[in-house]
Amino acid sequence: MVKSRPTIDPEKQSRILDAAMHQFAHHGFRDTKTDAIAQEADVSKGLIFNYFGSKANLYLETVRTTYAKIMAVADMSVWQDSPDLEEMVKRALRYKIQMQIDYPDEFALTMQAYAEVGNLPAGLRTKVDAIWTTLTDSQIPDMITPILKRSPMRKGVDIDTVVKMTAMMTNLIGEQAKVMIRDNPNIQIDDFDPVMAQVMKYMRVLEYGFLDPEADHD
């Protein structure tokens, strides 16, 4: 006999996801208790499992919903209207600080999920990592392609190559940030200033190259 899908009350589902976001953001996947989520959402623990099936499924849906919420409210013009890549990084940092203030639980969960992905159960880890990869692959071209189209590209260099190089650099910086978050769960945005300073150096090399055009390279 095929088990029928439960009837979902959208209001209760929303309360569960909001409570889960708060709990997972502050305690991580392993240390979050479904009892605490149920209490905060003012629903029964059984209803949570009825709606989501498991704690892992709830975590996955909470992370997915949280990323979608941030992307829905994000102003892409902060990136796209920048005059160059270096200014884009500066603007993006200031904007993300303000977003972190406006959406504390959302940003806390995205940092938590990104930092702890390696410690999640294998099946869940793969799915959460896929969310991050998909977002990165779709976001970076949308963010920087308008800037590159306005830039005086060197002959023989195509935009797709620069986009891929920027994505590689972003992933490298992301790995550094992941370690910092894991080592200090209470890390603040200002603590990333040294990383951002290094990003600016990378961006300058990416934009202008590393060889002196006036030097003899023979």
Side-chain angles (χ1 to χ4, degrees):
M1 180 176 180
V2 178
K3 185 177 180 180
S4 61
R5 296 185 62 183
T7 301
I8 302 295
D9 181 331
E11 196 273 334
K12 289 182 179 179
Q13 182 184 48
S14 178
R15 293 208 315 264
I16 293 171
L17 288 171
D18 284 344
M21 177 177 63
H22 179 78
Q23 293 294 326
F24 285 133
H26 292 277
H27 304 292
F29 172 73
R30 294 188 182 279
D31 292 335
T32 291
K33 308 300 182 185
T34 50
D35 287 322
I37 296 173
Q39 182 177 3
E40 184 173 337
D42 193 23
V43 299
S44 69
K45 182 177 177 180
L47 186 67
I48 292 178
F49 287 101
N50 191 33
Y51 279 11
F52 297 94
S54 67
K55 178 181 171 182
N57 287 342
L58 174 60
Y59 182 82
L60 182 65
E61 186 59 29
T62 303
V63 171
R64 184 183 289 118
T65 301
T66 300
Y67 273 119
K69 180 178 179 180
I70 290 176
M71 292 309 301
V73 299
D75 181 4
M76 297 297 285
S77 68
V78 172
W79 288 265
Q80 296 168 339
D81 293 349
S82 299
D84 53 48
L85 292 177
E86 185 173 333
E87 181 62 23
M88 181 197 75
V89 173
K90 293 178 182 177
R91 291 184 182 185
L93 176 60
R94 289 193 293 267
Y95 182 67
K96 289 178 75 173
I97 291 173
Q98 186 59 52
M99 288 279 285
Q100 187 177 13
I101 294 171
D102 294 339
Y103 300 94
D105 278 349
E106 287 82 356
F107 267 80
L109 178 59
T110 58
M111 293 176 73
Q112 177 70 254
Y114 184 60
E116 75 168 352
V117 66
N119 296 321
L120 296 174
L124 181 59
R125 178 171 63 244
T126 300
K127 293 176 182 178
V128 172
D129 194 47
I131 294 174
W132 173 255
T133 301
T134 300
L135 285 169
T136 302
D137 290 347
S138 62
Q139 282 179 10
I140 292 179
D142 288 345
M143 288 175 175
I144 72 172
T145 297
I147 301 171
L148 296 175
K149 287 182 176 179
R150 297 193 299 270
S151 301
M153 303 289 288
R154 182 165 59 83
K155 186 177 180 180
V157 176
D158 61 273
I159 289 178
D160 185 58
T161 297
V162 179
V163 169
K164 289 178 180 178
M165 290 178 64
T166 304
M168 292 170 62
M169 184 186 68
T170 300
N171 289 336
L172 176 63
I173 298 301
E175 289 303 312
Q176 290 181 254
K178 186 188 297 183
V179 172
M180 294 173 66
I181 296 167
R182 186 182 64 233
D183 292 344
N184 179 13
N186 298 315
I187 196 168
Q188 301 298 311
I189 194 69
D190 290 345
D191 296 325
F192 289 99
D193 283 351
V195 175
M196 292 309 303
Q198 190 63 47
V199 170
M200 300 311 298
K201 292 181 181 179
Y202 291 160
M203 294 303 294
R204 293 186 188 105
V205 172
L206 179 62
E207 281 195 87
Y208 306 114
F210 63 91
L211 295 178
D212 183 353
E214 304 298 326
D216 184 358
H217 301 301
D218 292 337

